[in-house]
């Protein structure tokens, strides 16, 4: 059909391109913008990206080692981040402008400002604020967050190495070989880690393995089951009662998620049998190897709680922890907006006891409240508590979202459950104050931000 002359003279209209990439602003964090930034750095520096990724894996493998080894393991990946900054700088705004990281930055600024009103000595503030130095690990690992499967595997290797140190200690203790042991109290086997830190670290490791054991497939399910059983034995061997309770709660939560997640329902029977077998074998091994120590630790804890409640005796290990939690709540009531400032909890506690006419030498004082949320409330007040709750919410919801490149079946959900494990054990320890647990939490941030790059 002939067209009118006016239509013949119209300029041709551009046709929409279905695969065209919309220009991305550096301050806008979108899935497409994140993937584009990572694709650009791989295009211009593929070798540097590969080297950076393996140095990141080394840092992750060192995360369950003593603090000095954690810091040494981080040197390579931090150096790679700094050397390659002109190659990967486009990825950085896509990390720090995500809600989870904005909360972390707000926390850091609040902690820095708290020096103005901190009650403790300058050294105490420096120590507590200084733990934030491990945040550079998250920044250094982010440019290779598209290699999350590699980093996740390195974490598994690092946890396995920590448990091998427990095996070494057990053999050295049994055969009286001092070279294979670490300086630990009788009945406490945490290998090269402090027993409390070891319990917290291994609870996170349990969270990493549980999903693979419950809903993984093939060799990943086998590895997850083996890791779950061995880690449970390791947690029991540390003698850390808070970690025992946290691990039990974590297993219960994982089972509830498995019931909701696994389809068809017929697979639940097999999953239940797998978990029951793992728990039975783990409990049997633990009882045969450290059964007497476990019973002694349990009886001691029960006795200390009874003495604290019925006789107000707070000089025992458990009694002192209960009292520190109570002091933290009183510190919040006394200073709801500012808190005591980082590093000021112990100074406030001593002054509070003295003001009540109690001789401070009759009480035990620690630098933190042995409960992450209570310690946060005591040191940074309501603003700090709000930031902590926001962090928990964003970290769990972000890590629960599956994205391409998160890892093999089952293990892709591991970081989320590792974060939940740390949250559960934080009821008994201030994980953000202790260097090794803070470093592990920093590494898990790259698995927890909402928009992560697809695997390369």
């Amino acid at each position: 059909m002939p067209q009118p002359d006016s239509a013949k003279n119209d300029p041709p209209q551009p046709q929409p391109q279905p695969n065209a990439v919309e220009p991305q602003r550096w301050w806008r964090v979108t899935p497409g913008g994140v993937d584009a930034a990572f694709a650009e750095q791989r295009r211009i520096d593929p070798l540097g990206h590969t080297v950076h990724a393996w140095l990141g894996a080394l840092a992750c493998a060192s995360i369950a080692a003593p603090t000095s080894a954690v810091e040494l393991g981080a040197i390579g990946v931090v150096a790679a981040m700094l050397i390659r900054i002109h190659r990967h700088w486009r990825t950085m705004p896509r990390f720090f402008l995500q809600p989870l990281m904005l909360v972390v930055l707000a926390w850091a600024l609040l902690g820095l400002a708290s020096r103005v009103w901190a009650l403790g000595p300058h050294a105490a503030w420096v120590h507590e604020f200084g733990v934030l130095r491990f945040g550079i690990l998250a920044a250094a690992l982010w440019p290779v967050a598209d290699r999350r499967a590699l980093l996740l595997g390195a974490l598994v290797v690092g946890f396995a190495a920590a448990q091998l140190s427990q095996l070494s200690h057990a053999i050295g203790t049994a055969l009286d070989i001092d070279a294979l042991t670490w300086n630990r109290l009788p009945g406490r086997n945490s290998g090269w880690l402090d027993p409390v830190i070891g319990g917290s670290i291994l609870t996170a490791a349990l969270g990493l393995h549980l999903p693979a054991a419950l809903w993984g497939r093939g060799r990943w399910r086998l590895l997850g089951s083996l890791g779950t059983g061995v880690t449970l034995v390791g947690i029991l061997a540390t003698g850390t009662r808070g970690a025992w309770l946290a691990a039990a709660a974590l297993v219960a939560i994982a089972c509830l998620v498995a019931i909701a997640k696994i389809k068809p329902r017929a697979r639940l029977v097999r999953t239940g049998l797998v978990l029951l077998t793992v728990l039975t074998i783990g409990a049997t091994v633990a009882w045969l190897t450290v059964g007497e120590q476990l019973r002694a630790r349990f009886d001691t804890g029960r006795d200390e709680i009874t003495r604290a409640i019925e006789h107000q005796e707070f000089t025992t290990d458990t009694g002192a922890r209960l009292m520190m939690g109570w002091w933290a709540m009183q510190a919040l009531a006394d200073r709801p907006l500012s808190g005591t400032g980082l590093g000021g909890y112990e100074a406030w506690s001593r002054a509070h006891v003295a003001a009540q006419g109690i001789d401070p030498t009759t009480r035990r004082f620690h630098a933190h409240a042995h409960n992450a949320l209570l310690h946060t409330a005591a040191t940074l007040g309501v603003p700090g508590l709000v930031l902590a709750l926001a962090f928990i919410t964003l970290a769990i919801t972000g890590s629960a979202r599956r994205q391409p490149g998160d890892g093999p079946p089952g293990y892709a959900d591991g970081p989320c459950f590792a974060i939940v494990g740390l949250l559960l054990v934080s009821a008994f320890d201030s994980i953000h104050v202790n260097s090794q647990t803070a470093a592990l939490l920093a590494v898990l941030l790259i698995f927890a931000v909402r928009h992560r790059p697809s695997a390369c």
Side-chain angles (χ1 to χ4, degrees), residues 163-192 289-290 293:
Q163 296 204 259
L164 285 176
S165 76
Q166 287 183 287
L167 178 61
S168 170
H169 183 82
I171 294 173
T173 301
L175 301 180
D176 197 21
I177 304 174
D178 289 341
L180 296 179
T181 64
W182 281 263
N183 184 22
R184 300 286 172 254
L185 292 173
R188 308 293 296 271
N189 179 359
S190 55
W192 58 38
T289 54
V290 291
Q293 295 92 324

Side-chain angles (χ1 to χ4, degrees), residues 129-197:
F129 185 76
V131 174
L132 286 170
R133 70 188 184 276
F134 290 107
I136 196 172
L137 256 178
L141 289 170
W142 175 249
V144 292
D146 50 357
R147 300 292 303 275
R148 287 189 300 284
L150 171 64
L151 302 181
L152 188 60
L155 277 176
V156 172
V157 170
F159 290 138
Q163 296 204 259
L164 285 176
S165 76
Q166 287 183 287
L167 178 61
S168 170
H169 183 82
I171 294 173
T173 301
L175 301 180
D176 197 21
I177 304 174
D178 289 341
L180 296 179
T181 64
W182 281 263
N183 184 22
R184 300 286 172 254
L185 292 173
R188 308 293 296 271
N189 179 359
S190 55
W192 58 38
L193 297 170
D194 174 87
V196 174
I197 301 299

